[in-house]
């Protein structure tokens, strides 16, 4: 199972960093390239805050929280997590967290570029965190239902 975790985790980090590198080196800041009319564009911005630009210019806070979160996720993965879906969810969250951590640590901001309609602009790391969190919650719900069903059958 460790190999799947490593592939998912490293895959997210590498894909995130390569995509940000390509955007940063092929676009100018705030440039927007329409991909699908009025639905999706590549829009290059610097995000100095957290999700949706909240808590702008709190770099040390974000770096500290990310370090604590990553340590907790690693502990949870190795000591508490059980199923494959839960482990993949943790790998996605951790990969996304590290992807944005790299930006914050080395650049002082996060590169965002995925722009859907009037939604906020985000990146692959953000997407991985959201997908991972959703998978984790769904896994928890299904496991709870399964445990209740098993308890009722006893």
């Amino acid at each position: 199972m460790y190999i799947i975790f490593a592939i998912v985790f490293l895959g997210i980090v590498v894909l995130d960093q390569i995509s940000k590198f390509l955007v940063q080196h092929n676009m100018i800041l705030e440039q927007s390239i329409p991909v699908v009319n009025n639905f999706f564009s590549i829009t290059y911005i610097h995000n100095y805050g957290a999700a949706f630009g909240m808590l702008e210019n709190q770099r040390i806070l974000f770096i500290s929280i990310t370090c604590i979160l990553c340590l907790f996720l690693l502990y949870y993965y190795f000591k508490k997590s059980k199923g494959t879906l839960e482990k993949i969810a943790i790998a996605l969250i951790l990969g996304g967290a590290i992807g944005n951590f790299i930006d914050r640590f080395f650049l002082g901001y996060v590169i965002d570029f995925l722009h859907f309609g009037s939604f906020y602009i985000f990146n692959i790391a953000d997407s991985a965190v959201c997908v991972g969190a959703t998978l984790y919650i769904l896994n928890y719900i299904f496991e709870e239902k399964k445990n209740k069903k098993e308890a009722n059958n006893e």
Side-chain angles (χ1 to χ4, degrees):
M1 186 65 222
Y2 296 132
I3 194 78
I4 293 171
F5 176 86
I7 289 168
V8 171
F9 167 74
L10 291 173
I12 292 299
V13 173
V14 169
L15 185 61
D16 178 65
Q17 290 300 302
I18 288 172
S19 64
K20 291 173 179 176
F21 176 86
L22 290 172
V23 166
Q24 187 178 34
H25 289 87
N26 292 292
M27 296 178 71
I28 59 172
L29 190 59
E30 298 185 12
Q31 179 183 2
S32 186
I33 302 170
V35 177
V36 178
N37 294 341
N38 297 324
F39 177 70
F40 174 66
S41 61
I42 305 294
T43 304
Y44 173 31
I45 66 164
H46 294 168
N47 182 352
Y48 291 89
F52 314 118
M54 295 184 303
L55 298 171
E56 203 167 307
N57 296 316
Q58 298 296 317
R59 180 179 180 203
I60 301 301
L61 174 67
F62 295 136
I63 288 172
S64 301
I65 289 171
T66 302
C67 289
I68 292 166
L69 172 70
C70 290
L71 289 172
F72 170 77
L73 286 171
L74 287 170
Y75 168 80
Y76 188 83
Y77 177 83
F78 288 108
K79 297 291 185 181
K80 305 278 185 186
S81 65
K82 296 176 182 105
T84 301
L85 188 59
E86 185 177 37
K87 291 177 185 291
I88 290 171
I90 293 169
L92 286 166
I93 295 167
L94 192 59
I98 294 298
N100 282 339
F101 175 86
I102 291 168
D103 285 14
R104 277 202 179 86
F105 188 82
F106 290 105
L107 303 173
Y109 54 84
V110 172
I111 295 171
D112 286 336
F113 58 91
L114 299 172
H115 192 188
F116 286 89
S118 59
F119 292 108
Y120 291 95
I121 304 169
F122 54 99
N123 58 44
I124 290 171
D126 299 334
S127 301
V129 170
C130 290
V131 170
T134 301
L135 284 177
Y136 184 86
I137 291 166
L138 290 173
N139 182 69
Y140 179 81
I141 291 168
F142 292 135
E143 287 297 317
E144 284 298 308
K145 284 184 179 182
K146 184 176 125 184
N147 291 341
K148 282 183 183 179
K149 188 175 180 180
E150 287 173 359
N152 287 337
N153 289 336
E154 290 179 1

